[in-house]
Amino acid sequence: MTRPDDRIGALPATAGGHFVLHFYAAVHDLLRQIRGLSGETDTFAEVVSEHPFLNGYIAEINRAQPLAEAGAEDAADWTAAIVAHEATCSCRLPILTLRAAGLTGAAIRLLMLAGLVEEDTRFGDLFAWLQAGTGARRLTLGLAEGILNRTGQPASETETAPWRQLDGWGLIRPLDHDAPRSERTLGVPPELWAVIRGETGFWPPAGHLAAPGAPPPEALIFPAGTRAKLTEAARLLAGPAPVTLVLRGDAGIDVPTVAAALLGPGGRRALLIRGEPGPDAARQLGAWCTMTGCAPVYLLELGPGAVAEALRPRGYRGPVLVVPGPEGGVAVADDETQVTIDLPPLPPDLRREVWIAALGPAAERALRPVLDTLHVSEGYARRIAANALVEARLDGRDVPAAAHQQGAARALNHQLLDGLAERMDTARDWSALIAAPATVSMMRVLEDQARNREHLADRMGPAFDGTAAAGVRALFTGVSGTGKTMSARLLAGALGKELYRVDLASVVNKYIGETEKNLNRVLSRAEALDVVLLLDEGDALLGTRTEVKSANDRYANLETNYLLQRLERYRGIILITTNYGDNIDKAFQRRMDVVVTFFRPTADQRAAILRLHLPPDCAVDDGLLSEAMQRCDLTGGQIRNVATRAALAAMSEGRPLDDVHFLQALAIEHDKAGAVFPMGV
């Protein structure tokens, strides 16, 4: 009989050829089991006659000689043939990587037996004959152990038993857990079988692969100190020891680029996994990453106090990257090395390098006035630039215009913030703000600080130690309708930024820790996108901490403490409004850069606000307008309601807004507020 190593030259020196050799070995094991069960040569021939497809495999193994006419070689012959073939291969061999990672020869033999039906469904008929009475068309655990025992491969009930190894790695999955142990059928997950058989189109069990090709770590755009740490980390990840690298930074880290750069020196690709994978995918990840040479990169959004544990896939000994966000922790095994690198926000000069790299020098020069207002993180900058280039090409332009860049930024804001906060329209004309001189003056101070917040640290003394650049926090206090929300719209418009309002009803959660997690998510994305964030009616979160008399008081105080700490290190622009300034915890007020008080408007201010809201063809007598604003103590919001209601009444009658419409609208607004209408009926 021809020994398997005689046909090595016919198999290509590829992962596919390596797989075929293992596949032939599994077929031979199965044929030996059939002959051993038959006992007589004639019986074996009858089985082959009933399953004629076996003749093709016998011909491949035995050069067309009947298998029963020669002595059967043992497993050592196949092992020697496989080792000889491996010596001819210079490519990555998935099955060899499993063996190098600790999978025993018996486990690999069992894996191939379980996969026979994956390659040729006719083996299902043969399994049904061998497992008569069970109706199983896949390999059962009982038959598998019988085959391995016959070939001299141990299949004992220990932790290293082949089926236990494969099950732990997720390489096989029992398809009927309720069946008796010996009748449990074994299947191979398709994602893993595709890799085992040498396919190059990877189908990961979780996440997606980062695009191939990345700059070396020393070419990443980060401050020099951070870049040096990343370069050293890449060397560490390429070594033999299992290392978990934790990358901390804002929500806009360009994880695909950074991960690919760090893993490239070790010849690995990044498998990006958002969140923790499900149990089935987690079981398969170790084998999949081992065979493909990929490394798992977990993109998490951990809340305060949360800890991610057991992220290293079972059996996998390569590097693991974790990007947990600014909060939470990562726990690893005692025998594993963990390294943490903080990725700081980019200063203006490095952010300009990101824009140049993404847009090109010509586009960067043309868009510089717009780009200087976008203090976004480097990952978001690349995404905005890529979208702006696409928008420009759709308009037949090689270089994006300001409208393309602004549109791309808005699109990214919608994608990442919708569902967490509500986008609000902005306004640019400060003349629309009719308020007390002190209020207007403080709004101008707030605008100046927001414009110069990135450069403030450079003009301060050493005692600040960089803390002067840590965002802008403002508190707007005043009764409802005095212009707090409108002022937020004007500020965002003057700064050329988008305004997003947080719906506190969707943030505050009765379950412990969920409020902090929701706040962290919206705050992290807002500061990385550099939008103006508005916490409207923030009393629910900023209330004075109380004496702890119940569990509810304790957890309410924890939420307040978390928000205090988070605001202190917030790097964006956040505005908080309240109707009840006296109820705000004093610790919040101390952490505010600016506190703007909005007063009820005076009579002259009320008249000016009303004239801004009335239509140009208004026919209301000026004397009546002045008298009404003298006698009716309304806020700006109420005046807006009056103008809207009067205009609607005039439209329904098809004539200009007149005294009657105006007085009726005034009366309705007073009635709604439960106040006496001073102008009479």
Side-chain angles (χ1 to χ4, degrees), residues 51-79:
H51 303 86
F53 80 95
L54 290 174
N55 285 311
Y57 289 102
I58 292 173
E60 289 289 336
I61 295 173
N62 201 35
R63 294 288 184 96
Q65 292 183 9
L67 188 63
E69 292 180 6
E73 68 272 25
D74 58 23
D77 295 319
W78 287 99
T79 301

PDB file of all heavy atoms in Angstrom, residues 51-79:
ATOM      1  N   HIS A  51     -21.638   2.541  -0.325  1.00  0.00           N
ATOM      2  CA  HIS A  51     -21.248   3.964  -0.295  1.00  0.00           C
ATOM      3  C   HIS A  51     -20.110   4.155  -1.299  1.00  0.00           C
ATOM      4  O   HIS A  51     -18.939   4.352  -0.909  1.00  0.00           O
ATOM      5  CB  HIS A  51     -20.813   4.391   1.105  1.00  0.00           C
ATOM      6  CG  HIS A  51     -21.851   4.163   2.157  1.00  0.00           C
ATOM      7  ND1 HIS A  51     -21.998   2.950   2.820  1.00  0.00           N
ATOM      8  CD2 HIS A  51     -22.832   4.978   2.642  1.00  0.00           C
ATOM      9  CE1 HIS A  51     -22.986   3.050   3.682  1.00  0.00           C
ATOM     10  NE2 HIS A  51     -23.514   4.273   3.592  1.00  0.00           N
ATOM     11  N   PRO A  52     -20.420   4.104  -2.587  1.00  0.00           N
ATOM     12  CA  PRO A  52     -19.368   4.088  -3.614  1.00  0.00           C
ATOM     13  C   PRO A  52     -18.498   5.335  -3.645  1.00  0.00           C
ATOM     14  O   PRO A  52     -17.397   5.305  -4.215  1.00  0.00           O
ATOM     15  CB  PRO A  52     -20.162   3.923  -4.912  1.00  0.00           C
ATOM     16  CG  PRO A  52     -21.538   4.394  -4.594  1.00  0.00           C
ATOM     17  CD  PRO A  52     -21.777   4.048  -3.154  1.00  0.00           C
ATOM     18  N   PHE A  53     -18.951   6.423  -3.051  1.00  0.00           N
ATOM     19  CA  PHE A  53     -18.112   7.625  -3.063  1.00  0.00           C
ATOM     20  C   PHE A  53     -16.785   7.383  -2.337  1.00  0.00           C
ATOM     21  O   PHE A  53     -15.796   8.087  -2.575  1.00  0.00           O
ATOM     22  CB  PHE A  53     -18.864   8.802  -2.428  1.00  0.00           C
ATOM     23  CG  PHE A  53     -18.862   8.805  -0.925  1.00  0.00           C
ATOM     24  CD1 PHE A  53     -17.928   9.534  -0.218  1.00  0.00           C
ATOM     25  CD2 PHE A  53     -19.797   8.063  -0.201  1.00  0.00           C
ATOM     26  CE1 PHE A  53     -17.916   9.557   1.163  1.00  0.00           C
ATOM     27  CE2 PHE A  53     -19.800   8.077   1.179  1.00  0.00           C
ATOM     28  CZ  PHE A  53     -18.860   8.825   1.869  1.00  0.00           C
ATOM     29  N   LEU A  54     -16.763   6.337  -1.468  1.00  0.00           N
ATOM     30  CA  LEU A  54     -15.532   6.051  -0.731  1.00  0.00           C
ATOM     31  C   LEU A  54     -14.407   5.611  -1.654  1.00  0.00           C
ATOM     32  O   LEU A  54     -13.226   5.756  -1.317  1.00  0.00           O
ATOM     33  CB  LEU A  54     -15.799   4.973   0.325  1.00  0.00           C
ATOM     34  CG  LEU A  54     -16.664   5.394   1.521  1.00  0.00           C
ATOM     35  CD1 LEU A  54     -16.965   4.187   2.403  1.00  0.00           C
ATOM     36  CD2 LEU A  54     -15.972   6.483   2.325  1.00  0.00           C
ATOM     37  N   ASN A  55     -14.758   5.053  -2.821  1.00  0.00           N
ATOM     38  CA  ASN A  55     -13.722   4.585  -3.737  1.00  0.00           C
ATOM     39  C   ASN A  55     -12.787   5.718  -4.157  1.00  0.00           C
ATOM     40  O   ASN A  55     -11.582   5.511  -4.338  1.00  0.00           O
ATOM     41  CB  ASN A  55     -14.359   3.942  -4.975  1.00  0.00           C
ATOM     42  CG  ASN A  55     -14.922   2.563  -4.668  1.00  0.00           C
ATOM     43  OD1 ASN A  55     -14.235   1.731  -4.075  1.00  0.00           O
ATOM     44  ND2 ASN A  55     -16.173   2.334  -5.046  1.00  0.00           N
ATOM     45  N   GLY A  56     -13.356   6.902  -4.337  1.00  0.00           N
ATOM     46  CA  GLY A  56     -12.511   8.034  -4.714  1.00  0.00           C
ATOM     47  C   GLY A  56     -11.498   8.366  -3.637  1.00  0.00           C
ATOM     48  O   GLY A  56     -10.326   8.659  -3.924  1.00  0.00           O
ATOM     49  N   TYR A  57     -11.929   8.343  -2.366  1.00  0.00           N
ATOM     50  CA  TYR A  57     -11.002   8.627  -1.276  1.00  0.00           C
ATOM     51  C   TYR A  57      -9.978   7.509  -1.118  1.00  0.00           C
ATOM     52  O   TYR A  57      -8.801   7.757  -0.850  1.00  0.00           O
ATOM     53  CB  TYR A  57     -11.785   8.820   0.026  1.00  0.00           C
ATOM     54  CG  TYR A  57     -12.571  10.103   0.044  1.00  0.00           C
ATOM     55  CD1 TYR A  57     -13.941  10.111  -0.184  1.00  0.00           C
ATOM     56  CD2 TYR A  57     -11.935  11.321   0.268  1.00  0.00           C
ATOM     57  CE1 TYR A  57     -14.664  11.284  -0.180  1.00  0.00           C
ATOM     58  CE2 TYR A  57     -12.644  12.509   0.278  1.00  0.00           C
ATOM     59  CZ  TYR A  57     -14.014  12.486   0.055  1.00  0.00           C
ATOM     60  OH  TYR A  57     -14.725  13.659   0.051  1.00  0.00           O
ATOM     61  N   ILE A  58     -10.446   6.248  -1.294  1.00  0.00           N
ATOM     62  CA  ILE A  58      -9.511   5.126  -1.197  1.00  0.00           C
ATOM     63  C   ILE A  58      -8.450   5.237  -2.285  1.00  0.00           C
ATOM     64  O   ILE A  58      -7.254   4.987  -2.052  1.00  0.00           O
ATOM     65  CB  ILE A  58     -10.275   3.794  -1.298  1.00  0.00           C
ATOM     66  CG1 ILE A  58     -11.159   3.606  -0.064  1.00  0.00           C
ATOM     67  CG2 ILE A  58      -9.304   2.627  -1.430  1.00  0.00           C
ATOM     68  CD1 ILE A  58     -12.080   2.402  -0.142  1.00  0.00           C
ATOM     69  N   ALA A  59      -8.871   5.654  -3.479  1.00  0.00           N
ATOM     70  CA  ALA A  59      -7.910   5.810  -4.572  1.00  0.00           C
ATOM     71  C   ALA A  59      -6.874   6.872  -4.246  1.00  0.00           C
ATOM     72  O   ALA A  59      -5.676   6.719  -4.541  1.00  0.00           O
ATOM     73  CB  ALA A  59      -8.653   6.165  -5.863  1.00  0.00           C
ATOM     74  N   GLU A  60      -7.299   7.953  -3.645  1.00  0.00           N
ATOM     75  CA  GLU A  60      -6.357   9.012  -3.273  1.00  0.00           C
ATOM     76  C   GLU A  60      -5.373   8.510  -2.225  1.00  0.00           C
ATOM     77  O   GLU A  60      -4.185   8.844  -2.255  1.00  0.00           O
ATOM     78  CB  GLU A  60      -7.110  10.227  -2.732  1.00  0.00           C
ATOM     79  CG  GLU A  60      -7.880  11.001  -3.775  1.00  0.00           C
ATOM     80  CD  GLU A  60      -6.966  11.747  -4.709  1.00  0.00           C
ATOM     81  OE1 GLU A  60      -5.818  12.035  -4.315  1.00  0.00           O
ATOM     82  OE2 GLU A  60      -7.379  12.030  -5.842  1.00  0.00           O
ATOM     83  N   ILE A  61      -5.882   7.726  -1.292  1.00  0.00           N
ATOM     84  CA  ILE A  61      -5.022   7.264  -0.203  1.00  0.00           C
ATOM     85  C   ILE A  61      -4.149   6.090  -0.641  1.00  0.00           C
ATOM     86  O   ILE A  61      -2.984   5.974  -0.271  1.00  0.00           O
ATOM     87  CB  ILE A  61      -5.894   6.847   1.008  1.00  0.00           C
ATOM     88  CG1 ILE A  61      -6.631   8.068   1.574  1.00  0.00           C
ATOM     89  CG2 ILE A  61      -5.048   6.201   2.089  1.00  0.00           C
ATOM     90  CD1 ILE A  61      -7.629   7.719   2.648  1.00  0.00           C
ATOM     91  N   ASN A  62      -4.687   5.221  -1.468  1.00  0.00           N
ATOM     92  CA  ASN A  62      -4.081   3.910  -1.696  1.00  0.00           C
ATOM     93  C   ASN A  62      -3.710   3.640  -3.146  1.00  0.00           C
ATOM     94  O   ASN A  62      -3.466   2.503  -3.512  1.00  0.00           O
ATOM     95  CB  ASN A  62      -5.067   2.846  -1.202  1.00  0.00           C
ATOM     96  CG  ASN A  62      -4.388   1.527  -0.905  1.00  0.00           C
ATOM     97  OD1 ASN A  62      -3.255   1.509  -0.450  1.00  0.00           O
ATOM     98  ND2 ASN A  62      -5.067   0.442  -1.174  1.00  0.00           N
ATOM     99  N   ARG A  63      -3.643   4.683  -3.968  1.00  0.00           N
ATOM    100  CA  ARG A  63      -3.306   4.517  -5.388  1.00  0.00           C
ATOM    101  C   ARG A  63      -4.178   3.445  -6.028  1.00  0.00           C
ATOM    102  O   ARG A  63      -3.699   2.582  -6.763  1.00  0.00           O
ATOM    103  CB  ARG A  63      -1.842   4.164  -5.564  1.00  0.00           C
ATOM    104  CG  ARG A  63      -0.853   5.239  -5.177  1.00  0.00           C
ATOM    105  CD  ARG A  63      -0.859   6.391  -6.190  1.00  0.00           C
ATOM    106  NE  ARG A  63       0.152   7.378  -5.865  1.00  0.00           N
ATOM    107  CZ  ARG A  63       1.365   7.405  -6.399  1.00  0.00           C
ATOM    108  NH1 ARG A  63       1.717   6.478  -7.253  1.00  0.00           N
ATOM    109  NH2 ARG A  63       2.223   8.337  -6.067  1.00  0.00           N
ATOM    110  N   ALA A  64      -5.500   3.442  -5.706  1.00  0.00           N
ATOM    111  CA  ALA A  64      -6.515   2.578  -6.305  1.00  0.00           C
ATOM    112  C   ALA A  64      -6.417   1.124  -5.864  1.00  0.00           C
ATOM    113  O   ALA A  64      -7.176   0.283  -6.335  1.00  0.00           O
ATOM    114  CB  ALA A  64      -6.478   2.645  -7.824  1.00  0.00           C
ATOM    115  N   GLN A  65      -5.466   0.744  -4.967  1.00  0.00           N
ATOM    116  CA  GLN A  65      -5.448  -0.613  -4.436  1.00  0.00           C
ATOM    117  C   GLN A  65      -6.549  -0.764  -3.398  1.00  0.00           C
ATOM    118  O   GLN A  65      -6.762   0.138  -2.598  1.00  0.00           O
ATOM    119  CB  GLN A  65      -4.099  -0.917  -3.776  1.00  0.00           C
ATOM    120  CG  GLN A  65      -2.945  -1.000  -4.757  1.00  0.00           C
ATOM    121  CD  GLN A  65      -1.658  -1.366  -4.055  1.00  0.00           C
ATOM    122  OE1 GLN A  65      -1.688  -1.711  -2.878  1.00  0.00           O
ATOM    123  NE2 GLN A  65      -0.553  -1.311  -4.769  1.00  0.00           N
ATOM    124  N   PRO A  66      -7.260  -1.868  -3.392  1.00  0.00           N
ATOM    125  CA  PRO A  66      -8.280  -2.086  -2.363  1.00  0.00           C
ATOM    126  C   PRO A  66      -7.649  -1.999  -0.983  1.00  0.00           C
ATOM    127  O   PRO A  66      -6.619  -2.623  -0.722  1.00  0.00           O
ATOM    128  CB  PRO A  66      -8.812  -3.483  -2.663  1.00  0.00           C
ATOM    129  CG  PRO A  66      -8.458  -3.724  -4.098  1.00  0.00           C
ATOM    130  CD  PRO A  66      -7.174  -2.998  -4.344  1.00  0.00           C
ATOM    131  N   LEU A  67      -8.264  -1.225  -0.131  1.00  0.00           N
ATOM    132  CA  LEU A  67      -7.690  -0.980   1.189  1.00  0.00           C
ATOM    133  C   LEU A  67      -7.538  -2.268   1.988  1.00  0.00           C
ATOM    134  O   LEU A  67      -6.598  -2.425   2.760  1.00  0.00           O
ATOM    135  CB  LEU A  67      -8.584   0.001   1.963  1.00  0.00           C
ATOM    136  CG  LEU A  67      -8.033   0.518   3.287  1.00  0.00           C
ATOM    137  CD1 LEU A  67      -6.771   1.317   3.046  1.00  0.00           C
ATOM    138  CD2 LEU A  67      -9.073   1.356   3.995  1.00  0.00           C
ATOM    139  N   ALA A  68      -8.453  -3.238   1.766  1.00  0.00           N
ATOM    140  CA  ALA A  68      -8.413  -4.469   2.561  1.00  0.00           C
ATOM    141  C   ALA A  68      -7.301  -5.393   2.143  1.00  0.00           C
ATOM    142  O   ALA A  68      -6.988  -6.358   2.834  1.00  0.00           O
ATOM    143  CB  ALA A  68      -9.746  -5.199   2.439  1.00  0.00           C
ATOM    144  N   GLU A  69      -6.646  -5.135   0.994  1.00  0.00           N
ATOM    145  CA  GLU A  69      -5.627  -6.049   0.492  1.00  0.00           C
ATOM    146  C   GLU A  69      -4.251  -5.783   1.100  1.00  0.00           C
ATOM    147  O   GLU A  69      -3.320  -6.533   0.861  1.00  0.00           O
ATOM    148  CB  GLU A  69      -5.528  -5.962  -1.035  1.00  0.00           C
ATOM    149  CG  GLU A  69      -6.765  -6.503  -1.727  1.00  0.00           C
ATOM    150  CD  GLU A  69      -6.637  -6.412  -3.232  1.00  0.00           C
ATOM    151  OE1 GLU A  69      -5.554  -6.035  -3.723  1.00  0.00           O
ATOM    152  OE2 GLU A  69      -7.635  -6.695  -3.903  1.00  0.00           O
ATOM    153  N   ALA A  70      -4.119  -4.692   1.792  1.00  0.00           N
ATOM    154  CA  ALA A  70      -2.804  -4.355   2.354  1.00  0.00           C
ATOM    155  C   ALA A  70      -2.946  -4.071   3.838  1.00  0.00           C
ATOM    156  O   ALA A  70      -4.019  -3.754   4.323  1.00  0.00           O
ATOM    157  CB  ALA A  70      -2.203  -3.148   1.645  1.00  0.00           C
ATOM    158  N   GLY A  71      -1.861  -4.150   4.535  1.00  0.00           N
ATOM    159  CA  GLY A  71      -1.891  -3.816   5.945  1.00  0.00           C
ATOM    160  C   GLY A  71      -2.093  -2.324   6.131  1.00  0.00           C
ATOM    161  O   GLY A  71      -1.583  -1.516   5.362  1.00  0.00           O
ATOM    162  N   ALA A  72      -2.815  -1.950   7.156  1.00  0.00           N
ATOM    163  CA  ALA A  72      -3.115  -0.531   7.401  1.00  0.00           C
ATOM    164  C   ALA A  72      -1.966   0.115   8.167  1.00  0.00           C
ATOM    165  O   ALA A  72      -1.495  -0.422   9.161  1.00  0.00           O
ATOM    166  CB  ALA A  72      -4.414  -0.408   8.192  1.00  0.00           C
ATOM    167  N   GLU A  73      -1.530   1.247   7.663  1.00  0.00           N
ATOM    168  CA  GLU A  73      -0.472   1.968   8.364  1.00  0.00           C
ATOM    169  C   GLU A  73      -1.046   2.641   9.601  1.00  0.00           C
ATOM    170  O   GLU A  73      -2.256   2.864   9.684  1.00  0.00           O
ATOM    171  CB  GLU A  73       0.182   3.023   7.450  1.00  0.00           C
ATOM    172  CG  GLU A  73      -0.705   4.172   7.078  1.00  0.00           C
ATOM    173  CD  GLU A  73      -1.504   3.867   5.823  1.00  0.00           C
ATOM    174  OE1 GLU A  73      -1.753   2.698   5.515  1.00  0.00           O
ATOM    175  OE2 GLU A  73      -1.907   4.839   5.178  1.00  0.00           O
ATOM    176  N   ASP A  74      -0.224   2.979  10.561  1.00  0.00           N
ATOM    177  CA  ASP A  74      -0.727   3.585  11.789  1.00  0.00           C
ATOM    178  C   ASP A  74      -0.645   5.103  11.709  1.00  0.00           C
ATOM    179  O   ASP A  74      -0.181   5.676  10.729  1.00  0.00           O
ATOM    180  CB  ASP A  74       0.035   3.060  13.015  1.00  0.00           C
ATOM    181  CG  ASP A  74       1.525   3.325  12.917  1.00  0.00           C
ATOM    182  OD1 ASP A  74       1.913   4.250  12.179  1.00  0.00           O
ATOM    183  OD2 ASP A  74       2.298   2.617  13.592  1.00  0.00           O
ATOM    184  N   ALA A  75      -1.109   5.760  12.798  1.00  0.00           N
ATOM    185  CA  ALA A  75      -1.190   7.224  12.807  1.00  0.00           C
ATOM    186  C   ALA A  75       0.177   7.874  12.678  1.00  0.00           C
ATOM    187  O   ALA A  75       0.299   8.988  12.176  1.00  0.00           O
ATOM    188  CB  ALA A  75      -1.868   7.693  14.086  1.00  0.00           C
ATOM    189  N   ALA A  76       1.226   7.170  13.087  1.00  0.00           N
ATOM    190  CA  ALA A  76       2.561   7.763  13.011  1.00  0.00           C
ATOM    191  C   ALA A  76       2.975   8.038  11.583  1.00  0.00           C
ATOM    192  O   ALA A  76       3.700   9.002  11.299  1.00  0.00           O
ATOM    193  CB  ALA A  76       3.580   6.830  13.678  1.00  0.00           C
ATOM    194  N   ASP A  77       2.514   7.206  10.629  1.00  0.00           N
ATOM    195  CA  ASP A  77       2.843   7.447   9.229  1.00  0.00           C
ATOM    196  C   ASP A  77       2.267   8.781   8.767  1.00  0.00           C
ATOM    197  O   ASP A  77       2.916   9.541   8.047  1.00  0.00           O
ATOM    198  CB  ASP A  77       2.298   6.310   8.363  1.00  0.00           C
ATOM    199  CG  ASP A  77       2.975   4.980   8.680  1.00  0.00           C
ATOM    200  OD1 ASP A  77       4.198   4.985   8.875  1.00  0.00           O
ATOM    201  OD2 ASP A  77       2.266   3.959   8.759  1.00  0.00           O
ATOM    202  N   TRP A  78       1.026   9.034   9.158  1.00  0.00           N
ATOM    203  CA  TRP A  78       0.394  10.294   8.755  1.00  0.00           C
ATOM    204  C   TRP A  78       1.065  11.482   9.441  1.00  0.00           C
ATOM    205  O   TRP A  78       1.245  12.537   8.843  1.00  0.00           O
ATOM    206  CB  TRP A  78      -1.097  10.264   9.088  1.00  0.00           C
ATOM    207  CG  TRP A  78      -1.866   9.361   8.176  1.00  0.00           C
ATOM    208  CD1 TRP A  78      -2.264   8.088   8.409  1.00  0.00           C
ATOM    209  CD2 TRP A  78      -2.277   9.668   6.844  1.00  0.00           C
ATOM    210  NE1 TRP A  78      -2.921   7.575   7.328  1.00  0.00           N
ATOM    211  CE2 TRP A  78      -2.942   8.530   6.340  1.00  0.00           C
ATOM    212  CE3 TRP A  78      -2.146  10.785   6.012  1.00  0.00           C
ATOM    213  CZ2 TRP A  78      -3.477   8.476   5.060  1.00  0.00           C
ATOM    214  CZ3 TRP A  78      -2.685  10.735   4.751  1.00  0.00           C
ATOM    215  CH2 TRP A  78      -3.342   9.596   4.275  1.00  0.00           C
ATOM    216  N   THR A  79       1.434  11.297  10.685  1.00  0.00           N
ATOM    217  CA  THR A  79       2.099  12.391  11.400  1.00  0.00           C
ATOM    218  C   THR A  79       3.412  12.758  10.717  1.00  0.00           C
ATOM    219  O   THR A  79       3.731  13.937  10.525  1.00  0.00           O
ATOM    220  CB  THR A  79       2.363  11.987  12.859  1.00  0.00           C
ATOM    221  OG1 THR A  79       1.119  11.684  13.488  1.00  0.00           O
ATOM    222  CG2 THR A  79       3.060  13.106  13.612  1.00  0.00           C
TER     223      THR A  79
END
